[in-house]
């Protein structure tokens, strides 16, 4: 069974999702796979078997959207104010599930890379599906784009999908950016 067929089965068997959400997620995964065929979908498939959709609590400060790694839950603010692109928000969740280690996503293996990781996730989601809405990370994406020229776009990409922030830190140290 190929990876997309396995994902379709996992989504179909997930009792936490309705058909509309299953179809939307699968549609976005097809786009993901077409544009980034070299990225393994194994971890994503495992996460999709049990992922839930929920709401961010009224008093929680997690933003408009948050992927809870530990609960494997995609959370949306109950009070979304502004114009947000749901495809973009779901694509960020897909990227985070695809790179989840059960304790962090992407290259966020080092807390110093947290903002960079969030912005890079946003950049990848924008590349994959665009963003017809608001973004909470405009400045962070600008800095991330600049840093990608210093550390190398391939280093950023490979670090993100192999969950290893060390090459980024090393490249910045070598460029005397002085992260330490």
């Amino acid at each position: 069974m190929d990876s997309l067929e396995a994902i379709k089965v996992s989504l179909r068997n997930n009792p936490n999702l309705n058909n509309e959400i299953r179809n939307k997620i699968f549609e976005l995964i097809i786009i993901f796979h077409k544009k980034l065929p070299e990225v393994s979908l194994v971890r994503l498939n495992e996460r999709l078997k049990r992922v839930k959709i929920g709401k961010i609590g009224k008093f929680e400060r997690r933003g408009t959207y948050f992927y809870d790694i530990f609960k494997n839950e995609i959370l949306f603010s109950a009070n979304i104010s502004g114009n947000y692109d749901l495809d973009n928000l779901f694509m960020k969740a897909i990227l985070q599930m695809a790179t989840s280690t059960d304790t962090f996503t992407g290259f966020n293996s080092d807390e110093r890379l947290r903002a960079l990781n969030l912005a890079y996730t946003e950049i990848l989601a924008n590349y994959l599906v665009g963003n017809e809405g608001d973004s909470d990370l405009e400045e962070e994406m600008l800095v991330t784009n600049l840093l990608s020229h210093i550390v190398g776009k391939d280093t950023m990409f490979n670090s993100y999908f192999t969950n290893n922030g060390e090459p980024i830190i090393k490249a910045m140290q070598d460029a005397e950016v002085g992260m330490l």
Side-chain angles (χ1 to χ4, degrees):
M1 177 181 327
D2 78 339
S3 56
L4 287 177
E5 192 58 39
I7 283 173
K8 188 181 266 188
V9 169
S10 295
L11 284 168
R12 186 175 42 237
N13 292 332
N14 182 333
N16 304 312
L17 304 175
N18 66 37
N19 283 335
E20 184 179 358
I21 291 174
R22 284 184 190 107
N23 292 337
K24 176 51 73 180
I25 290 173
F26 189 69
E27 171 187 311
L28 293 170
I29 291 169
I30 289 170
I31 294 168
F32 176 99
H33 189 60
K34 281 183 182 174
K35 288 191 176 182
L36 301 174
E38 69 277 19
V39 175
S40 171
L41 301 177
V42 172
R43 282 191 266 180
L44 174 60
N45 186 42
E46 285 305 309
R47 290 268 172 189
L48 289 170
K49 291 176 182 179
R50 300 171 312 283
V51 70
K52 299 175 196 153
I53 307 293
K55 290 183 185 174
I56 296 172
K58 190 163 127 178
F59 299 109
E60 292 180 279
R61 298 186 48 86
R62 292 185 173 184
T64 305
Y65 141 88
F66 181 76
Y67 174 64
D68 187 324
I69 302 162
F70 303 106
K71 293 181 180 176
N72 192 25
E73 189 170 21
I74 303 167
L75 303 165
F76 294 98
S77 173
N79 303 326
I80 293 181
S81 60
N83 177 30
Y84 289 91
D85 184 331
L86 283 177
D87 284 357
N88 184 274
L89 295 175
F90 270 111
M91 186 58 81
K92 288 190 285 189
I94 289 167
L95 286 161
Q96 289 180 299
M97 285 188 283
T99 63
S100 176
T101 67
D102 295 329
T103 56
F104 67 91
T105 65
F107 47 69
N108 199 27
S109 57
D110 187 311
E111 184 59 29
R112 296 174 291 177
L113 299 173
R114 183 178 175 278
L116 189 68
N117 189 65
L118 289 171
Y120 194 69
T121 301
E122 180 99 6
I123 288 168
L124 286 172
N126 290 350
Y127 163 71
L128 293 166
V129 293
N131 188 355
E132 299 297 322
D134 295 337
S135 171
D136 299 329
L137 299 169
E138 291 295 330
E139 291 88 13
E140 291 87 346
M141 286 191 303
L142 264 164
V143 171
T144 300
N145 275 324
L146 291 172
L147 283 173
S148 74
H149 292 287
I150 294 169
V151 304
K153 291 179 180 183
D154 288 342
T155 299
M156 295 279 280
F157 185 86
N158 292 333
S159 291
Y160 188 80
F161 287 104
T162 60
N163 304 103
N164 184 3
E166 286 303 313
I168 294 171
I169 292 171
K170 182 176 179 345
M172 285 194 276
Q173 288 170 337
D174 291 348
E176 297 184 28
V177 173
M179 275 200 54
L180 294 177

